Amino acid sequence: MAEVIFNKLEKVYSNGFKAVHAIDLKIAEGEFMVIVGPSGCAKSTTLRMLAGLETISGGEVRIGEKIVNNLAPKERGIAMVFQNYALYPHMTVRENLAFGLKLSKMPKAQIDAQVNEAAKILELEELLDRLPRQLSGGQAQRVAVGRAIVKKPDVFLFDEPLSNLDAKLRASMRIRISDLHKQLKKSGKPATTVYVTHDQTEAMTMGDRICVMKLGHIMQVDTPDNLYHKPKNMFVAGFIGAPEMNIRATKLVDQAGRLALSIGNETMPLSETLHNNVVDHASQDVFYGIRPEFVSVSDEPFAEGSCSGELVRVENMGHEFFMYLKVAEYELTARIPSDEAKPMIEKGLHRKVYFKFDMNKCHIFDAKTELNISI
Ligand SMILES: Nc1ncnc2c1ncn2[C@@H]1O[C@H](COP(=O)(O)OP(=O)(O)O)[C@@H](O)[C@H]1O
Ligand SMILES: [Mg+2]
C-alpha cells in the first residue's frame, strides 16, 4: 500500500526563503500524479522532500502508513529518475541497473532476473554491455528509468526526466513511461507515480491527475479534462492549453436584463447559464477567458452576438490556422480549421472581420481574487 500524502508540507531554505507554503496533497495508490508549473514554482523542492533528498521544514510526508519525514531515501520504498540521468560513467548498463540491488545485498540470481526483466521492458537488451558514454540521450534515459524499475519501488519519482531529449524522443518516452505505469497496474503491482514537469503536454497526456503549482502554492489538483474545461483560477486557465486561452479585462454590462461582455466599443451577450452564474458581479471589473478554438471568425456579422476586429496576422498550422484579431487595445487568437480560414485569408490582412465566442465555453474571472466565478 503506498498512497502518498502531503500534510501542510513546508520548505524554508537556510537563507530564509520559503519555497513551499503548507501544501496538502493526497496521491492515491497506483495513481499517476503530475506536478506541473513554471520554473521556480518548487516542483523539485517538493519532490525532493518526498524522496528524502531535502529536509522538511514543516508538516509531514506519508508514504503508505508511515510518516517518512525522518527516514533516509533508501528506507522510503521510492526510486527516482532525474533529468540528467545520473548514470555511473565507469559502469556498464548492466552494472548501472544492478548497482542499487547489489547494495541492498540481494542474491545474485535475483538481481540478474530483475535486471533482465527491466532490460526487456525498456528494450535495453542490446545495450547491456555498453558504457553510458556509448549511449544516445534517449538510451541513457531508458537506462535511468530501468534503474528505477529494477528496484520495484512502491513509488516512482520523476523530475523532468525528458527535458534533455529532442521533441520526437520526448514523445516516444512519454508513451513508454505511461505504458510502463499501465503495465505495472495490470500486473497487480501498481506503482504510485509522482512526475514533475514544466511541460503541459506531458502533464495533460500522462497524468491521471495533475497538480498545478505556482510560487510554492497548489493552484488546482484535478483531472486533465477538468483543468482544461473547468480551471479554478486565471493562473491555471492561462497555464494549461496552447495556444493560450485569451484572457482579457472586461466589464459585465447589463443589457435589458442580460449581462454582456464589454469588448472595445461593442458587447457580446452571455449565455443564460453564464449570466446566471455571474449575475452577482454585474458592472464589476472581471476578466473573460475564451480558448482560441471557441472563437469563431467570419467576413460577415454573425446572426447574433458579433463583435468586430482587424485581422492582423495568421499562422498556418497545416490542418488549421491561428488567426490574430486586433480588438480595441488587445489581440485575440482564434483557431480556425483550414477550409474555413483559407477563403478569409485570401481576401488579405488588415481588414475588418467579425468574431463571436461560444459562450458555453467562456469563463469569467474575478479581477481581484482571479478565481473562476463562472463554474
Ligand atoms: N538551496 C536553495 N536555497 C535557497 N533557495 C532555493 C534553493 N533551491 C531552490 N531554491 C529556490 O526555491 C524555489 C523553488 O525551486 P525549485 O524547487 O528548484 O523549482 P522548480 O523545480 O519548480 O523549477 C526557487 O525560487 C529556487 O530559486
Ligand atoms: Mg526543478
Side-chain angles (χ1 to χ4, degrees):
M1 283 297 285
E3 61 177 4
V4 170
I5 295 175
F6 298 157
N7 194 355
K8 302 272 173 288
L9 181 64
E10 281 202 335
K11 178 66 189 181
V12 183
Y13 279 109
S14 54
N15 63 358
F17 177 71
K18 192 168 194 172
V20 177
H21 298 257
I23 58 172
D24 291 316
L25 183 63
K26 190 168 176 176
I27 305 167
E29 185 189 25
E31 185 171 28
F32 198 116
M33 174 68 79
V34 176
I35 300 181
V36 72
S39 179
C41 72
K43 303 179 294 297
S44 294
T45 303
T46 303
L47 198 70
R48 291 170 62 82
M49 285 195 284
L50 171 54
L53 301 172
E54 198 69 72
T55 57
I56 293 169
S57 315
E60 62 185 29
V61 174
R62 276 174 186 269
I63 300 178
E65 303 293 297
K66 274 187 285 185
I67 296 176
V68 300
N69 284 40
N70 298 315
L71 292 188
K74 67 174 178 352
E75 298 169 319
R76 296 189 183 198
I78 52 140
M80 185 150 166
V81 179
F82 300 88
Q83 176 177 351
N84 59 7
Y85 323 137
L87 300 179
Y88 300 108
H90 57 287
M91 291 184 197
T92 63
V93 168
R94 183 188 296 282
E95 289 164 342
N96 264 285
L97 292 175
F99 185 69
L101 303 182
K102 273 190 190 148
L103 281 187
S104 72
K105 306 239 158 52
M106 186 182 277
K108 174 142 189 343
Q110 196 183 344
I111 294 180
D112 287 346
Q114 287 188 210
V115 167
N116 289 338
E117 187 190 347
K120 191 161 167 223
I121 292 172
L122 289 161
E123 295 171 52
L124 294 169
E125 288 149 309
E126 311 287 298
L127 307 173
L128 283 171
D129 296 320
R130 292 202 197 168
L131 291 168
R133 67 179 142 80
Q134 297 167 314
L135 302 174
S136 69
Q139 291 168 337
Q141 193 52 295
R142 260 151 57 203
V143 177
V145 174
R147 209 171 41 177
I149 294 179
V150 294
K151 291 190 189 162
K152 299 189 184 288
D154 295 326
V155 185
F156 274 110
L157 308 181
F158 293 90
D159 193 351
E160 311 236 8
L162 309 185
S163 298
N164 285 350
L165 305 180
D166 64 48
K168 217 168 168 176
L169 258 179
R170 260 202 322 266
S172 75
M173 277 303 285
R174 219 160 64 206
I175 292 168
R176 209 182 268 272
I177 292 172
S178 287
D179 284 353
L180 176 66
H181 181 76
K182 289 190 193 110
Q183 212 173 313
L184 289 171
K185 203 169 220 172
K186 232 166 123 189
S187 70
K189 288 170 276 182
T192 311
T193 300
V194 189
Y195 185 104
V196 159
T197 179
H198 66 274
D199 180 321
Q200 53 146 322
T201 308
E202 282 175 28
M204 291 295 281
T205 55
M206 299 175 87
D208 291 325
R209 286 190 303 157
I210 301 171
C211 168
V212 183
M213 290 186 73
K214 175 191 174 190
L215 296 173
H217 295 274
I218 292 178
M219 304 307 284
Q220 186 168 357
V221 184
D222 225 323
T223 60
D225 212 52
N226 278 346
L227 283 185
Y228 195 81
H229 293 288
K230 295 176 180 170
K232 280 193 178 148
N233 52 59
M234 236 156 83
F235 179 81
V236 172
F239 187 76
I240 301 288
E244 256 177 56
M245 183 188 286
N246 298 291
I247 301 177
R248 304 289 181 262
T250 187
K251 244 190 169 58
L252 295 172
V253 294
D254 194 333
Q255 289 182 325
R258 174 66 65 90
L259 293 177
L261 303 177
S262 158
I263 299 179
N265 299 323
E266 300 169 315
T267 56
M268 197 184 291
L270 304 188
S271 64
E272 194 178 337
T273 314
L274 191 52
H275 168 97
N276 289 336
N277 287 344
V278 300
V279 69
D280 296 346
H281 298 259
S283 77
Q284 286 177 13
D285 288 323
V286 296
F287 287 81
Y288 71 78
I290 187 86
R291 296 202 182 277
E293 61 267 39
F294 303 129
V295 180
S296 307
V297 180
S298 167
D299 289 323
E300 306 295 331
F302 292 90
E304 54 185 42
S306 280
C307 287
S308 62
E310 181 192 348
L311 180 62
V312 288
R313 220 153 29 93
V314 294
E315 286 180 310
N316 184 353
M317 295 290 134
H319 64 299
E320 63 183 7
F321 281 76
F322 298 161
M323 300 175 85
Y324 298 91
L325 312 186
K326 185 157 191 320
V327 179
E329 73 290 2
Y330 54 76
E331 256 185 36
L332 285 181
T333 313
R335 266 173 97 159
I336 309 291
S338 288
D339 304 353
E340 221 175 286
K342 273 182 183 158
M344 284 189 273
I345 290 164
E346 278 160 12
K347 291 182 193 155
L349 295 178
H350 302 292
R351 61 196 184 80
K352 184 171 177 173
V353 293
Y354 297 86
F355 66 92
K356 77 173 214 179
F357 302 158
D358 177 348
M359 278 297 172
N360 294 318
K361 304 289 186 183
C362 183
H363 302 276
I364 308 287
F365 303 97
D366 184 288
K368 276 200 208 80
T369 63
E370 301 195 353
L371 293 176
N372 191 343
I373 53 178
S374 55
I375 53 173

